[in-house]
Amino acid sequence: MPRVDHVKTGDKERLVAAVRSVPRALRADLGTVARDPLPRLRWLGRLPHGHAVLFAVLMGMLMMSEYEQVYEPAPKTMWLLVVLQAATVPLALSRPVPAWWLSTIVLFLTAQVSEGRVGHDMVWPWSMGGIALHTLVLLLLALRVHPRIAVEALSITVLSGLINMAFAAHVHNEVLTRGTVAFATAVMVGASLRISRVAKTRLVEQEVLTAEERARRTLLEERGRIARELHDVVAHHMSVISIQAQVAPHLVENPPEELKENLAGIRQNAVEALTELRRVLGVLRSEDPPAEGVRHAPQPTLDRLAELVDNVRGAGLTVTTEITGEPRPLSPGVELSAFRIVQEALSNAMRHSPGAQVRVAVGHQPSAVTVRVTNSAPDRPAPPSQGTGHGLLGMRERAAMLGGELANGPTPDGGYEVTAILPADAPEPSAQPAGGAP
């Protein structure tokens, strides 16, 4: 028994706490005067706003016509109440909560003022015009606020009508049930439209976030692929440094011990750096390990451009090449990036411009190398692409990595052009030592 009493006491405490929280919740939900304008419709613009105002004017005129017949003539108080009731609709277009409060208060006061003059054959406590205007206000409210707040507003509206009926001194043709049905329908329709709009907005936001995340992941994948390719270039230089440090003492007769120690330290540092590079490459290749033959194949350079073009021609694409300027030694990173940019541009031309003619131009300048791949308009529609469309991103990353520039876009004849300007960045050849170093 004590346990049962304890449970009942706890339920009572929770119930009391819930009841006490109701005024605070209502004050938080319906105590705002914040501006919340009704958004424009995509195709209709503000035409529904104008229709709502016109509807309010017509309902106001209808209400005044009714009260003129009842009062003969209607007092200024009724005129004021009718004007305020009609004004709640334009106000609800920008401030729905204050408009609902004003409409509810006006409905209550109108019932109090007209109760002694309205006969039993006339509707009360709400007139038909008042019901129509308040229904529109509730609809505009439910379109902007949370459904819980709209239900709270509906409850308070119905409660005000019940209070009027409880203190009525005469018998009337009561319309509380019909008015409540109209109000509830407006709340349900408005809440449904709002839920649908919010769901679409969140879906669009999620699609934007997904697209941004996909672009970020693609960027990281491209950078990882570039890093894997450049590993071989860096590893080659580190290997050369290690071998030169090992061979250098044998090129000098009776080298001092300090020189031997320094060269040994250089070789040791190069070997350690090469080991760390291999570990990093293992991490980069852990998720997508290439084939063994591809892993150990040398990285391509512009010397293999003719081989690349022949392969593309074998696939059915018409390709012409043009090399201007005097070719000069380029750094391995520039050679690799230039080759990959041409390779990716040719792949895009085959994928998106079937039957087009492609021109590959490589220009050598003293301080830069320019790569331009231009294709004409396709002679037939391109088949649906199964790729992810990240080629341009990879080309742009390669150019940015070297401090170069890349531009791409359609040409006036309906084709497409990709142009990359990469700094030559080639080391100046050093003079041979007198002893004839190998």
Side-chain angles (χ1 to χ4, degrees), residues 81-159:
L81 292 175
V82 170
V83 171
L84 290 177
Q85 187 73 59
T88 58
V89 173
L91 180 61
L93 296 175
S94 59
R95 300 180 186 272
V97 175
W100 167 79
W101 274 115
L102 178 60
S103 181
T104 302
I105 294 173
V106 171
L107 281 180
F108 183 84
L109 294 178
T110 302
Q112 293 294 318
V113 173
S114 63
E115 198 269 336
R117 301 293 300 270
V118 174
H120 68 278
D121 58 334
M122 300 187 65
V123 295
W124 190 86
W126 303 320
S127 65
M128 300 307 296
I131 292 176
L133 291 174
H134 195 72
T135 299
L136 182 56
V137 170
L138 278 174
L139 174 63
L140 296 174
L141 175 72
L143 287 173
R144 260 84 60 78
V145 301
H146 193 276
R148 183 194 70 254
I149 301 177
V151 171
E152 293 171 354
L154 172 63
S155 302
I156 293 177
T157 297
V158 176
L159 180 61

Side-chain angles (χ1 to χ4, degrees), residues 9 15 50 71 73 77 100 105 114 125 129 134 144 192-193 210 252 256-257 281 319 327 346 383-384 406 411 428:
T9 303
L15 180 60
Y71 286 93
T77 303
W100 167 79
I105 294 173
S114 63
H134 195 72
R144 260 84 60 78
S192 300
L193 294 176
T210 302
V252 181
E257 292 298 325
L281 183 65
V319 184
L346 291 176
L406 186 135
T411 58
E428 293 295 331

Side-chain angles (χ1 to χ4, degrees), residues 34-63:
R35 189 171 182 269
D36 187 8
L38 185 69
R40 299 176 58 180
L41 297 183
R42 178 177 298 180
W43 304 111
L44 299 178
R46 295 195 179 277
L47 184 61
H49 300 64
H51 285 170
V53 174
L54 178 61
F55 177 79
V57 172
L58 293 178
M59 286 297 102
M61 295 173 60
L62 176 62
M63 293 172 63

Side-chain angles (χ1 to χ4, degrees), residues 58 83 178 215 287 320 341 356 379 420:
L58 293 178
V83 171
R178 285 175 286 176
E287 296 183 358
T320 59
I341 289 174
D379 59 3

Side-chain angles (χ1 to χ4, degrees), residues 173-186:
N173 182 13
E174 297 167 352
V175 294
L176 185 66
T177 302
R178 285 175 286 176
T180 301
V181 171
F183 298 158
T185 302

Side-chain angles (χ1 to χ4, degrees), residues 182-402:
F183 298 158
T185 302
V187 169
M188 287 189 294
V189 172
S192 300
L193 294 176
R194 179 185 179 277
I195 292 174
S196 176
R197 186 181 73 250
V198 170
K200 291 180 180 179
T201 302
R202 290 180 178 176
L203 180 60
V204 171
E205 293 175 353
Q206 187 63 38
E207 290 178 350
V208 172
L209 292 177
T210 302
E212 292 177 352
E213 183 63 28
R214 187 184 300 113
R216 190 179 300 109
R217 184 175 64 251
T218 302
L219 179 61
L220 294 177
E221 291 175 355
E222 289 294 330
R223 289 178 176 177
R225 187 163 68 94
I226 295 172
R228 290 194 297 268
E229 293 180 352
L230 290 179
H231 165 269
D232 295 338
V233 176
V234 178
H236 169 73
H237 287 291
M238 299 303 298
S239 300
V240 171
I241 293 173
S242 174
I243 295 173
Q244 288 179 338
Q246 185 178 9
V247 174
H250 301 285
L251 302 179
V252 181
E253 186 177 356
N254 298 324
E257 292 298 325
E258 292 82 357
L259 178 60
K260 291 182 179 180
E261 292 178 359
N262 288 334
L263 292 174
I266 293 174
R267 182 177 183 277
Q268 181 64 28
N269 290 333
V271 172
E272 292 178 356
L274 187 59
T275 302
E276 294 299 326
L277 277 174
R278 286 171 179 166
R279 291 175 180 171
V280 172
L281 183 65
V283 174
L284 293 175
R285 284 175 172 165
S286 60
E287 296 183 358
D288 185 21
E292 191 70 18
V294 176
R295 179 180 301 180
H296 298 289
Q299 295 297 341
T301 62
L302 286 177
D303 294 336
R304 297 177 56 186
L305 182 60
E307 177 184 348
L308 173 64
V309 171
D310 289 340
N311 293 335
V312 174
R313 287 170 179 164
L317 197 65
T318 303
V319 184
T320 59
T321 59
E322 179 184 359
I323 299 178
T324 59
E326 183 178 355
R328 53 174 297 184
L330 300 173
S331 65
V334 175
E335 290 271 4
L336 174 61
S337 295
F339 181 88
R340 291 301 188 197
I341 289 174
V342 174
Q343 184 182 42
E344 189 61 43
L346 291 176
S347 298
N348 288 343
M350 287 192 297
R351 186 181 303 114
H352 302 294
S353 301
Q357 296 183 356
V358 184
R359 178 174 174 270
V360 178
V362 179
H364 294 273
Q365 290 89 31
S367 60
V369 58
T370 302
V371 176
R372 179 177 288 107
V373 180
T374 308
N375 63 268
S376 61
D379 59 3
R380 59 183 180 274
S385 176
Q386 300 298 326
T388 54
H390 301 148
L392 290 175
L393 177 61
M395 289 188 280
R396 191 170 290 110
E397 282 296 310
R398 292 182 185 276
M401 173 190 64
L402 298 171

